[in-house]
Amino acid sequence: MLLEAAHALALFGQHLLLGVIMATGFVCIYSLITPHKELELIRSGNAAAAVGLVGATIGFALPLSLVLSVTADPVHAGFWGIVVLLTQILAHLLVRLVVPRLAKDINEGKMSAGIVQAGAGLVIGMISAAALTP
């Protein structure tokens, strides 16, 4: 029983570390592909940028958490994490096509733009999570 608990604890630690690394990587990569400087805007108090980035990050974390809950293989989880990251980036690019002023509006602190960005991230995250479920 002690050995099983140690194994479970090790798996928890492995998954937690992988999830934190992937979420951090997502925020860094996502911030690089957006034309506005989200982290700088957030530091200066721009709530629209914060809402947009948090929504996209939650949208990434939803399917990643599903994958982490159903596999013990970090390579498998990492692969699907990358797929979900690319899906979030694609969703963001599509939203920018539909709303060409998105980055400008977020720079100006317009909450409607941040909500649209967050909503797109959450919707694609929920759909991705469902698509990963057999």
Side-chain angles (χ1 to χ4, degrees), residues 55-71 77 80-81 83-85 87-88 121-133:
T57 304
I58 293 170
F60 170 76
L62 285 168
L64 179 63
S65 65
L66 173 80
V67 167
L68 290 172
S69 73
V70 298
T71 185
W80 286 108
V83 169
V84 170
L85 181 145
T87 304
Q88 281 290 333
L122 290 168
V123 167
I124 200 65
M126 290 168 32
I127 293 170
S128 295
L132 288 167
T133 306

Side-chain angles (χ1 to χ4, degrees), residues 9-91:
L9 187 58
L11 186 59
F12 166 78
Q14 172 185 303
H15 275 50
L16 180 63
L17 182 61
L18 179 62
V20 168
I21 289 169
M22 293 200 77
T24 302
F26 171 79
V27 168
C28 292
I29 292 168
Y30 191 83
S31 295
L32 288 174
I33 65 106
T34 59
H36 48 280
K37 306 290 184 214
E38 266 138 343
L39 297 178
E40 287 177 26
L41 291 170
I42 291 167
R43 287 185 190 107
S44 70
N46 186 316
V51 167
L53 182 59
V54 168
T57 304
I58 293 170
F60 170 76
L62 285 168
L64 179 63
S65 65
L66 173 80
V67 167
L68 290 172
S69 73
V70 298
T71 185
D73 181 3
V75 174
H76 184 252
F79 169 78
W80 286 108
I82 291 168
V83 169
V84 170
L85 181 145
L86 294 173
T87 304
Q88 281 290 333
I89 289 172
L90 180 61

